[in-house]
Amino acid sequence: MEKPTKRILSGVQPSGDLHLGNYLGAIKNFVSLQKEYECFFCVVDLHAITVWQDPKVLANKTREVTAAFIASGIDPKKNNIFVQSQIPQHAQLAWLFNCIARMGWLNRMTQFKDKAGKNSENVSVGLFSYPTLMAADILIYLATHVPVGEDQKQHLELTRDIAQKFNNDFETDLFPIPEPLILGDAKRVMSLRDGSKKMSKSDPSDYSRIMLTDSAENIIQKIKKAKTDPYPLPDNINDLKLRPEALNLITIFSALESISIDKVLQNYGAKEFSSFKKDLADLAVSKLEPITSEMNKLMNDTPFIDDVLQSGKNNAIAVAEPVLRKTKEIIGFLS
Ligand code: AQP
């Protein structure tokens, strides 16, 4: 079987409106990675249903993530863009990995603890075993590299452990041990309402996040109302680190403009938040408006989106099917 050396798998859940965190922490990086890597970009709807999703909107959200990928600059001719639930090999390999992963490994996952909170007896089994499905998403394509936000680092470690244990148990070298790619300064974009909380699709407050579907007016309003502290902006990184809301807004500026945080501090250090926020709003609108308008155009062309996903599906199955067949043969199943 051909062993790729530079193949990426990454996924985004169609679990709500995509926000600036998803864009700066993931999708913007995918756009630069496509030059160097063979890429598999997946809309991970099986992951999304680990919590309740409204069946009336799920298909539309799935197309919206696809539109966001393309509108942000991912070339659908050069890359494989597809939907997780349309590739049955993901779920099949995930079952096999459920029998490789240990309970103790999954019990340590902090994202499960955060998401389940005090309600862990009542959340789905799927939410608990989410990381074994993520391992299957990656290893079914023998992906060598995975771009991840800070929040997914621990899940990727578990993927590496699963690959290693499978290879050891069955004395094979089938699965690569995938490397994380943690890129850019915006590894963890925080809520605009609370600098200690991650910007998230599931935050009940719309004002906590800038969405890729927001109008220019909404973006300006949200940045204007973003929580700050009463002092002028700091002029050095050490002081900035002590002020979570300022750090978040400066980080967003630096990621959108693709310049260093130091450079932003040189320009805005000691200035009032009001003038900085105005420039940040102008910058956010100028970067996001072209993406939003392209997304809207694509969302009105469902046949095009569905064609992209069909061709992504064909390519994905062509890679995934032989890997699953080989895995089953190694385990000793009848063919
Ligand atoms: N706030 C963030 N800052 C930087 N990166 C982020 N990502 C998500 N939130 C931030 C990255 O976006 C990619 C896709 O994320 P996902 O769809 O798997 O969703 P998630 O990580 O569970 O976070 P969300 O978008 O806030 O959804 P909910 O509210 O449903 O949990 C990933 O690479 C992720 O790191």
PDB file of all heavy atoms in Angstrom, residues 238-260:
ATOM      1  N   ASN A 238       4.558  41.339  27.992  1.00  0.00           N
ATOM      2  CA  ASN A 238       4.401  40.851  29.380  1.00  0.00           C
ATOM      3  C   ASN A 238       3.175  41.462  30.039  1.00  0.00           C
ATOM      4  O   ASN A 238       2.406  40.769  30.703  1.00  0.00           O
ATOM      5  CB  ASN A 238       5.664  41.134  30.200  1.00  0.00           C
ATOM      6  CG  ASN A 238       6.799  40.222  29.758  1.00  0.00           C
ATOM      7  OD1 ASN A 238       6.553  39.135  29.225  1.00  0.00           O
ATOM      8  ND2 ASN A 238       8.018  40.687  29.933  1.00  0.00           N
ATOM      9  N   ASP A 239       2.977  42.771  29.849  1.00  0.00           N
ATOM     10  CA  ASP A 239       1.776  43.411  30.420  1.00  0.00           C
ATOM     11  C   ASP A 239       0.525  42.902  29.706  1.00  0.00           C
ATOM     12  O   ASP A 239      -0.515  42.695  30.331  1.00  0.00           O
ATOM     13  CB  ASP A 239       1.856  44.940  30.280  1.00  0.00           C
ATOM     14  CG  ASP A 239       2.916  45.513  31.214  1.00  0.00           C
ATOM     15  OD1 ASP A 239       3.397  44.752  32.084  1.00  0.00           O
ATOM     16  OD2 ASP A 239       3.264  46.698  31.062  1.00  0.00           O
ATOM     17  N   LEU A 240       0.656  42.679  28.394  1.00  0.00           N
ATOM     18  CA  LEU A 240      -0.512  42.222  27.623  1.00  0.00           C
ATOM     19  C   LEU A 240      -1.021  40.878  28.152  1.00  0.00           C
ATOM     20  O   LEU A 240      -2.227  40.650  28.257  1.00  0.00           O
ATOM     21  CB  LEU A 240      -0.126  42.095  26.144  1.00  0.00           C
ATOM     22  CG  LEU A 240      -1.246  41.672  25.184  1.00  0.00           C
ATOM     23  CD1 LEU A 240      -2.338  42.733  25.114  1.00  0.00           C
ATOM     24  CD2 LEU A 240      -0.698  41.403  23.775  1.00  0.00           C
ATOM     25  N   LYS A 241      -0.085  40.007  28.507  1.00  0.00           N
ATOM     26  CA  LYS A 241      -0.464  38.655  28.970  1.00  0.00           C
ATOM     27  C   LYS A 241      -1.307  38.694  30.247  1.00  0.00           C
ATOM     28  O   LYS A 241      -2.010  37.735  30.550  1.00  0.00           O
ATOM     29  CB  LYS A 241       0.791  37.801  29.201  1.00  0.00           C
ATOM     30  CG  LYS A 241       1.361  37.258  27.905  1.00  0.00           C
ATOM     31  CD  LYS A 241       2.535  36.358  28.188  1.00  0.00           C
ATOM     32  CE  LYS A 241       3.170  35.874  26.887  1.00  0.00           C
ATOM     33  NZ  LYS A 241       4.556  35.474  27.080  1.00  0.00           N
ATOM     34  N   LEU A 242      -1.210  39.791  30.998  1.00  0.00           N
ATOM     35  CA  LEU A 242      -1.977  39.903  32.253  1.00  0.00           C
ATOM     36  C   LEU A 242      -3.391  40.443  32.018  1.00  0.00           C
ATOM     37  O   LEU A 242      -4.164  40.589  32.945  1.00  0.00           O
ATOM     38  CB  LEU A 242      -1.234  40.826  33.238  1.00  0.00           C
ATOM     39  CG  LEU A 242       0.188  40.397  33.595  1.00  0.00           C
ATOM     40  CD1 LEU A 242       0.902  41.467  34.413  1.00  0.00           C
ATOM     41  CD2 LEU A 242       0.150  39.068  34.366  1.00  0.00           C
ATOM     42  N   ARG A 243      -3.709  40.757  30.740  1.00  0.00           N
ATOM     43  CA  ARG A 243      -5.015  41.407  30.454  1.00  0.00           C
ATOM     44  C   ARG A 243      -5.745  40.630  29.358  1.00  0.00           C
ATOM     45  O   ARG A 243      -5.587  40.899  28.163  1.00  0.00           O
ATOM     46  CB  ARG A 243      -4.754  42.855  30.061  1.00  0.00           C
ATOM     47  CG  ARG A 243      -4.141  43.604  31.270  1.00  0.00           C
ATOM     48  CD  ARG A 243      -3.706  44.982  30.949  1.00  0.00           C
ATOM     49  NE  ARG A 243      -4.775  45.764  30.338  1.00  0.00           N
ATOM     50  CZ  ARG A 243      -4.573  46.964  29.799  1.00  0.00           C
ATOM     51  NH1 ARG A 243      -3.364  47.494  29.807  1.00  0.00           N
ATOM     52  NH2 ARG A 243      -5.570  47.616  29.274  1.00  0.00           N
ATOM     53  N   PRO A 244      -6.528  39.609  29.763  1.00  0.00           N
ATOM     54  CA  PRO A 244      -7.070  38.639  28.810  1.00  0.00           C
ATOM     55  C   PRO A 244      -7.873  39.240  27.650  1.00  0.00           C
ATOM     56  O   PRO A 244      -7.719  38.813  26.507  1.00  0.00           O
ATOM     57  CB  PRO A 244      -7.955  37.730  29.670  1.00  0.00           C
ATOM     58  CG  PRO A 244      -7.990  38.305  31.041  1.00  0.00           C
ATOM     59  CD  PRO A 244      -6.905  39.316  31.161  1.00  0.00           C
ATOM     60  N   GLU A 245      -8.695  40.257  27.936  1.00  0.00           N
ATOM     61  CA  GLU A 245      -9.524  40.803  26.841  1.00  0.00           C
ATOM     62  C   GLU A 245      -8.660  41.572  25.842  1.00  0.00           C
ATOM     63  O   GLU A 245      -8.843  41.454  24.625  1.00  0.00           O
ATOM     64  CB  GLU A 245     -10.635  41.707  27.397  1.00  0.00           C
ATOM     65  CG  GLU A 245     -11.839  40.929  27.937  1.00  0.00           C
ATOM     66  CD  GLU A 245     -11.625  40.380  29.353  1.00  0.00           C
ATOM     67  OE1 GLU A 245     -10.746  40.903  30.064  1.00  0.00           O
ATOM     68  OE2 GLU A 245     -12.330  39.414  29.731  1.00  0.00           O
ATOM     69  N   ALA A 246      -7.682  42.346  26.379  1.00  0.00           N
ATOM     70  CA  ALA A 246      -6.788  43.082  25.476  1.00  0.00           C
ATOM     71  C   ALA A 246      -5.966  42.096  24.651  1.00  0.00           C
ATOM     72  O   ALA A 246      -5.816  42.249  23.432  1.00  0.00           O
ATOM     73  CB  ALA A 246      -5.872  43.992  26.289  1.00  0.00           C
ATOM     74  N   LEU A 247      -5.473  41.040  25.317  1.00  0.00           N
ATOM     75  CA  LEU A 247      -4.668  40.023  24.614  1.00  0.00           C
ATOM     76  C   LEU A 247      -5.477  39.404  23.470  1.00  0.00           C
ATOM     77  O   LEU A 247      -4.975  39.237  22.352  1.00  0.00           O
ATOM     78  CB  LEU A 247      -4.233  38.938  25.617  1.00  0.00           C
ATOM     79  CG  LEU A 247      -3.504  37.736  25.032  1.00  0.00           C
ATOM     80  CD1 LEU A 247      -2.171  38.160  24.401  1.00  0.00           C
ATOM     81  CD2 LEU A 247      -3.226  36.670  26.102  1.00  0.00           C
ATOM     82  N   ASN A 248      -6.740  39.112  23.748  1.00  0.00           N
ATOM     83  CA  ASN A 248      -7.580  38.492  22.717  1.00  0.00           C
ATOM     84  C   ASN A 248      -7.765  39.422  21.516  1.00  0.00           C
ATOM     85  O   ASN A 248      -7.558  39.016  20.369  1.00  0.00           O
ATOM     86  CB  ASN A 248      -8.941  38.127  23.337  1.00  0.00           C
ATOM     87  CG  ASN A 248      -9.768  37.256  22.425  1.00  0.00           C
ATOM     88  OD1 ASN A 248      -9.238  36.409  21.705  1.00  0.00           O
ATOM     89  ND2 ASN A 248     -11.076  37.469  22.432  1.00  0.00           N
ATOM     90  N   LEU A 249      -8.102  40.683  21.781  1.00  0.00           N
ATOM     91  CA  LEU A 249      -8.362  41.603  20.656  1.00  0.00           C
ATOM     92  C   LEU A 249      -7.085  41.881  19.858  1.00  0.00           C
ATOM     93  O   LEU A 249      -7.103  41.927  18.623  1.00  0.00           O
ATOM     94  CB  LEU A 249      -8.975  42.915  21.167  1.00  0.00           C
ATOM     95  CG  LEU A 249     -10.374  42.782  21.811  1.00  0.00           C
ATOM     96  CD1 LEU A 249     -10.874  44.143  22.304  1.00  0.00           C
ATOM     97  CD2 LEU A 249     -11.397  42.186  20.838  1.00  0.00           C
ATOM     98  N   ILE A 250      -5.967  42.015  20.561  1.00  0.00           N
ATOM     99  CA  ILE A 250      -4.688  42.251  19.862  1.00  0.00           C
ATOM    100  C   ILE A 250      -4.314  41.005  19.036  1.00  0.00           C
ATOM    101  O   ILE A 250      -3.818  41.112  17.913  1.00  0.00           O
ATOM    102  CB  ILE A 250      -3.564  42.570  20.882  1.00  0.00           C
ATOM    103  CG1 ILE A 250      -3.886  43.855  21.638  1.00  0.00           C
ATOM    104  CG2 ILE A 250      -2.189  42.575  20.219  1.00  0.00           C
ATOM    105  CD1 ILE A 250      -3.186  45.103  21.220  1.00  0.00           C
ATOM    106  N   THR A 251      -4.560  39.818  19.604  1.00  0.00           N
ATOM    107  CA  THR A 251      -4.244  38.582  18.874  1.00  0.00           C
ATOM    108  C   THR A 251      -5.103  38.480  17.609  1.00  0.00           C
ATOM    109  O   THR A 251      -4.612  38.096  16.542  1.00  0.00           O
ATOM    110  CB  THR A 251      -4.489  37.344  19.772  1.00  0.00           C
ATOM    111  OG1 THR A 251      -3.727  37.496  20.960  1.00  0.00           O
ATOM    112  CG2 THR A 251      -4.076  36.060  19.078  1.00  0.00           C
ATOM    113  N   ILE A 252      -6.373  38.830  17.742  1.00  0.00           N
ATOM    114  CA  ILE A 252      -7.257  38.794  16.564  1.00  0.00           C
ATOM    115  C   ILE A 252      -6.730  39.759  15.499  1.00  0.00           C
ATOM    116  O   ILE A 252      -6.646  39.414  14.313  1.00  0.00           O
ATOM    117  CB  ILE A 252      -8.719  39.146  16.965  1.00  0.00           C
ATOM    118  CG1 ILE A 252      -9.308  38.035  17.845  1.00  0.00           C
ATOM    119  CG2 ILE A 252      -9.580  39.391  15.732  1.00  0.00           C
ATOM    120  CD1 ILE A 252     -10.678  38.350  18.437  1.00  0.00           C
ATOM    121  N   PHE A 253      -6.338  40.968  15.925  1.00  0.00           N
ATOM    122  CA  PHE A 253      -5.810  41.954  14.968  1.00  0.00           C
ATOM    123  C   PHE A 253      -4.591  41.379  14.246  1.00  0.00           C
ATOM    124  O   PHE A 253      -4.490  41.415  13.027  1.00  0.00           O
ATOM    125  CB  PHE A 253      -5.440  43.253  15.703  1.00  0.00           C
ATOM    126  CG  PHE A 253      -5.190  44.419  14.782  1.00  0.00           C
ATOM    127  CD1 PHE A 253      -6.119  45.438  14.665  1.00  0.00           C
ATOM    128  CD2 PHE A 253      -4.020  44.496  14.028  1.00  0.00           C
ATOM    129  CE1 PHE A 253      -5.900  46.516  13.803  1.00  0.00           C
ATOM    130  CE2 PHE A 253      -3.789  45.560  13.161  1.00  0.00           C
ATOM    131  CZ  PHE A 253      -4.729  46.570  13.057  1.00  0.00           C
ATOM    132  N   SER A 254      -3.659  40.810  15.045  1.00  0.00           N
ATOM    133  CA  SER A 254      -2.410  40.332  14.438  1.00  0.00           C
ATOM    134  C   SER A 254      -2.688  39.180  13.475  1.00  0.00           C
ATOM    135  O   SER A 254      -2.082  39.089  12.404  1.00  0.00           O
ATOM    136  CB  SER A 254      -1.393  39.949  15.517  1.00  0.00           C
ATOM    137  OG  SER A 254      -1.429  38.574  15.796  1.00  0.00           O
ATOM    138  N   ALA A 255      -3.628  38.301  13.833  1.00  0.00           N
ATOM    139  CA  ALA A 255      -3.922  37.157  12.940  1.00  0.00           C
ATOM    140  C   ALA A 255      -4.625  37.622  11.664  1.00  0.00           C
ATOM    141  O   ALA A 255      -4.324  37.140  10.570  1.00  0.00           O
ATOM    142  CB  ALA A 255      -4.777  36.137  13.683  1.00  0.00           C
ATOM    143  N   LEU A 256      -5.554  38.568  11.802  1.00  0.00           N
ATOM    144  CA  LEU A 256      -6.267  39.037  10.599  1.00  0.00           C
ATOM    145  C   LEU A 256      -5.323  39.768   9.651  1.00  0.00           C
ATOM    146  O   LEU A 256      -5.402  39.623   8.431  1.00  0.00           O
ATOM    147  CB  LEU A 256      -7.400  39.988  10.997  1.00  0.00           C
ATOM    148  CG  LEU A 256      -8.688  39.349  11.519  1.00  0.00           C
ATOM    149  CD1 LEU A 256      -9.618  40.428  12.093  1.00  0.00           C
ATOM    150  CD2 LEU A 256      -9.415  38.561  10.427  1.00  0.00           C
ATOM    151  N   GLU A 257      -4.408  40.548  10.233  1.00  0.00           N
ATOM    152  CA  GLU A 257      -3.506  41.364   9.397  1.00  0.00           C
ATOM    153  C   GLU A 257      -2.249  40.590   9.007  1.00  0.00           C
ATOM    154  O   GLU A 257      -1.452  41.063   8.202  1.00  0.00           O
ATOM    155  CB  GLU A 257      -3.158  42.650  10.196  1.00  0.00           C
ATOM    156  CG  GLU A 257      -2.412  43.717   9.451  1.00  0.00           C
ATOM    157  CD  GLU A 257      -3.220  44.426   8.364  1.00  0.00           C
ATOM    158  OE1 GLU A 257      -3.854  43.737   7.543  1.00  0.00           O
ATOM    159  OE2 GLU A 257      -3.193  45.656   8.337  1.00  0.00           O
ATOM    160  N   SER A 258      -2.091  39.372   9.591  1.00  0.00           N
ATOM    161  CA  SER A 258      -0.880  38.560   9.397  1.00  0.00           C
ATOM    162  C   SER A 258       0.387  39.347   9.749  1.00  0.00           C
ATOM    163  O   SER A 258       1.350  39.395   8.967  1.00  0.00           O
ATOM    164  CB  SER A 258      -0.790  38.015   7.959  1.00  0.00           C
ATOM    165  OG  SER A 258      -1.897  37.232   7.659  1.00  0.00           O
ATOM    166  N   ILE A 259       0.375  40.017  10.909  1.00  0.00           N
ATOM    167  CA  ILE A 259       1.589  40.667  11.423  1.00  0.00           C
ATOM    168  C   ILE A 259       1.795  40.203  12.864  1.00  0.00           C
ATOM    169  O   ILE A 259       0.880  39.648  13.474  1.00  0.00           O
ATOM    170  CB  ILE A 259       1.515  42.222  11.382  1.00  0.00           C
ATOM    171  CG1 ILE A 259       0.299  42.737  12.171  1.00  0.00           C
ATOM    172  CG2 ILE A 259       1.511  42.742   9.961  1.00  0.00           C
ATOM    173  CD1 ILE A 259       0.280  44.245  12.343  1.00  0.00           C
ATOM    174  N   SER A 260       2.980  40.454  13.414  1.00  0.00           N
ATOM    175  CA  SER A 260       3.260  39.952  14.766  1.00  0.00           C
ATOM    176  C   SER A 260       2.514  40.780  15.821  1.00  0.00           C
ATOM    177  O   SER A 260       2.150  41.938  15.586  1.00  0.00           O
ATOM    178  CB  SER A 260       4.764  40.013  15.039  1.00  0.00           C
ATOM    179  OG  SER A 260       5.142  41.371  15.159  1.00  0.00           O
TER     180      SER A 260
END
